Amino acid sequence: MNSKDIGTTLVCSLKFLVIFLILLAGCQTPPIRAISQSELEQGFSDYIAGYQKDLESISARTFDRIQMEYQRSLDSTETKPQSYDVLILSGGGAFGSFGIGFLEGWGTVENEVFSRPDFDSVSGISTGALIAPFAFLGTEKAYSQILDLYKNPQRNWVRKRGIIPYLPGNVSIFDVSDLHKKIRSVITPDLINDIAKKANENRLLLIGATNLDYGFSRVWDVAQLAIESSTEEALKLSTSLLLASTAIPGAFPPILIDDYMYVDGGATMQFVTGLDERSWVYSRDPVSFHFVKKNKPINIRVWIVINQKLLPDKKVVGTRWTAVAQRSLGTLIRSSTLQSLQDMETYVQLIDQYSEINAEMRYVAIPQDFSVPDSDEMFDTYTMRKLLALGQEMGRKPTSWKSRALRPGAPF
């Protein structure tokens, strides 16, 4: 081999080394799990028992709140009817700007039937989970805080890792450390203390995430956490839950809580609600409602804000695996949302059959004919502000609400 060949070989080797080092620099090694397979299996019973206890507490607090409100309405001289109001906020990523815009616009409605209520239960998945604490507080200050977050997204919130973000050594495609830093800045000790004050009368603030280790969803009542824990403990866990609920699988890094791995709640469910008391459906003798007066039923209203379109836009899909995967995931989420919406509609109609209950469901979603601008950015300022303005406009109109769910798999 002559000196020219040796030089060429060295140059090529150096180029390869530089590229290799760059790839490594963009790669974040996933953390080593502290829990073993045997420990995971042994801990299953305790995990289920703890979750079951949480769900029973949520059901009990829901019932107590309903009874308390009902009795208060009997004792009051006001003419405004009693109502137990449930707000459900879906996922949708940056499209959550539609939801917060809608809530803000809704606050201007003066019609007594359709005015924005002081919610008894607020629940959220993914981006809906991030909005939920502020909707739970329900003050103009709280709504303004979360509206500002969605109105002013930053380009550095998500950054692809290195030249090839899809390397198997990466913990996720995107580095979202700046986004996490921003979320932590808005979930403050004062916010937790305000949630605790509002939670004292059995109001619910439910956040859902997906436990990947066990493969099913998990729901927490953040309002109860704020009451039972110190401000510091509640702040730490609540922030972790919000980060977990918004952790898009693969795109964002998963969140470890008590050695379990959690990701976006939308991976297993699209809606979370405190109205999970199935005995209301199965029992034909609702002895629990002994306090209800004849001809004066309990009023339950379920309001659902869906931060996305119900059906995918028509599109010729590219043949690359990334295009196929992206389209498939979007279709899966929308189909799951339609199914969840129909399930909620069915549940509400079933409990409405009782003479003791007057239940109704309304929902709103981004209109199918609304043109969402194309963008390579996950949090595009123009798109988010356009959706926010759409939400504000629709929120001011009671006619935006719909009451009949679309049939999953049949878009008509």
Side-chain angles (χ1 to χ4, degrees):
M1 182 182 293
N2 58 40
S3 59
K4 184 179 179 180
D5 291 335
I6 293 174
T8 301
T9 301
L10 285 173
V11 170
C12 291
S13 298
L14 286 173
K15 286 182 178 179
F16 175 80
L17 179 60
V18 169
I19 293 173
F20 180 70
L21 290 174
I22 290 174
L23 292 177
L24 284 180
C27 179
Q28 178 183 341
T29 303
I32 298 174
R33 299 296 304 278
I35 189 171
S36 66
Q37 180 65 28
S38 61
E39 289 172 331
L40 181 72
E41 294 175 0
Q42 291 170 7
F44 184 69
S45 296
D46 288 341
Y47 184 89
I48 290 296
Y51 188 19
Q52 181 65 31
K53 183 179 179 182
D54 288 348
L55 292 178
E56 289 172 356
S57 174
I58 289 170
S59 293
R61 283 164 57 79
T62 298
F63 185 81
D64 289 345
R65 175 71 185 176
I66 290 174
Q67 184 172 2
M68 181 181 68
E69 276 202 334
Y70 184 84
Q71 189 60 50
R72 185 178 292 169
S73 71
L74 293 179
D75 299 336
S76 175
T77 57
E78 295 182 5
T79 57
K80 185 178 180 180
Q82 167 272 338
S83 65
Y84 182 85
D85 289 287
V86 178
L87 174 65
I88 299 173
L89 300 164
S90 84
F95 287 15
S97 53
F98 167 78
I100 185 57
F102 187 91
L103 290 170
E104 197 269 343
W106 189 7
T108 66
V109 175
E110 296 181 355
N111 181 306
E112 186 175 279
V113 176
F114 288 96
S115 62
R116 189 183 70 198
D118 186 12
F119 300 107
D120 301 286
S121 171
V122 178
S123 61
I125 289 289
S126 195
T127 195
L130 189 55
I131 299 171
F134 301 89
F136 177 80
L137 294 180
T139 63
E140 292 308 313
K141 177 183 176 182
Y143 279 119
S144 178
Q145 283 179 309
I146 192 62
L147 187 146
D148 183 67
L149 178 70
Y150 280 86
K151 187 178 181 180
N152 298 294
Q154 302 299 310
R155 295 187 66 178
N156 65 349
W157 280 0
V158 293
R159 301 189 302 273
K160 285 187 177 179
R161 298 185 185 276
I163 297 175
I164 306 178
Y166 306 104
L167 285 174
N170 280 333
V171 69
S172 61
I173 296 174
F174 296 100
D175 175 355
V176 293
S177 53
D178 286 319
L179 176 61
H180 285 185
K181 188 183 301 182
K182 183 61 180 179
I183 292 175
R184 288 190 174 95
S185 73
V186 298
I187 308 301
T188 64
D190 287 343
L191 182 76
I192 296 298
N193 290 332
D194 289 342
I195 289 173
K197 293 174 186 175
K198 187 98 183 246
N200 280 323
E201 292 188 328
N202 291 318
R203 296 179 190 265
L204 302 176
L205 172 54
L206 306 179
I207 301 298
T210 299
N211 183 318
L212 278 187
D213 292 316
Y214 288 136
F216 54 78
S217 60
R218 176 73 189 261
V219 178
W220 291 266
D221 183 1
V222 173
Q224 188 70 5
L225 289 175
I227 294 175
E228 295 180 344
S229 308
S230 67
T231 300
E232 182 179 355
E233 291 174 340
L235 176 64
K236 182 179 179 180
L237 181 53
S238 297
T239 304
S240 294
L241 294 177
L242 292 177
L243 297 181
S245 187
T246 56
I248 304 171
F252 291 5
I255 302 298
L256 295 178
I257 302 175
D258 295 332
D259 290 334
Y260 295 114
M261 181 181 287
Y262 291 92
V263 296
D264 197 322
T268 46
M269 55 186 172
Q270 301 306 316
F271 298 156
V272 178
T273 172
L275 295 176
D276 294 319
E277 185 50 74
R278 292 292 157 172
S279 67
W280 294 4
V281 175
Y282 299 135
S283 172
R284 302 319 305 169
D285 182 22
V287 293
S288 300
F289 304 123
H290 62 277
F291 58 88
V292 177
K293 305 298 182 183
K294 189 175 182 179
N295 299 323
K296 191 175 176 62
I298 301 165
N299 292 308
I300 297 176
R301 302 190 299 180
V302 179
W303 310 88
I304 304 175
V305 177
I306 300 172
N307 293 301
Q308 55 192 331
K309 295 183 179 182
L310 291 177
L311 300 171
D313 290 328
K314 302 175 185 66
K315 181 180 181 181
V316 176
V317 181
T319 55
R320 293 187 177 183
W321 74 265
T322 50
V324 174
Q326 185 177 22
R327 181 67 169 183
S328 298
L329 179 60
T331 303
L332 174 65
I333 290 173
R334 283 168 174 78
S335 298
S336 177
T337 300
L338 285 177
Q339 187 64 63
S340 298
L341 186 62
Q342 190 175 62
D343 287 346
M344 180 54 63
E345 178 187 48
T346 300
Y347 178 78
V348 168
Q349 288 179 347
L350 284 172
I351 64 174
D352 186 57
Q353 301 304 308
Y354 286 126
S355 60
E356 293 86 353
I357 298 177
N358 178 26
E360 56 187 345
M361 179 200 84
R362 295 188 177 96
Y363 73 93
V364 66
I366 298 174
Q368 288 299 133
D369 60 359
F370 179 77
S371 178
V372 179
D374 289 330
S375 175
D376 293 331
E377 295 181 26
M378 185 174 292
F379 295 99
D380 179 74
T381 302
Y382 176 75
T383 301
M384 292 178 69
R385 289 185 177 179
K386 191 173 181 180
L387 284 165
L388 192 150
L390 171 70
Q392 290 171 323
E393 179 185 357
M394 291 180 62
R396 289 189 285 266
K397 301 175 182 178
T399 53
S400 297
W401 292 106
K402 300 183 184 301
S403 58
R404 294 290 299 275
L406 293 179
R407 178 183 172 188
F412 44 78

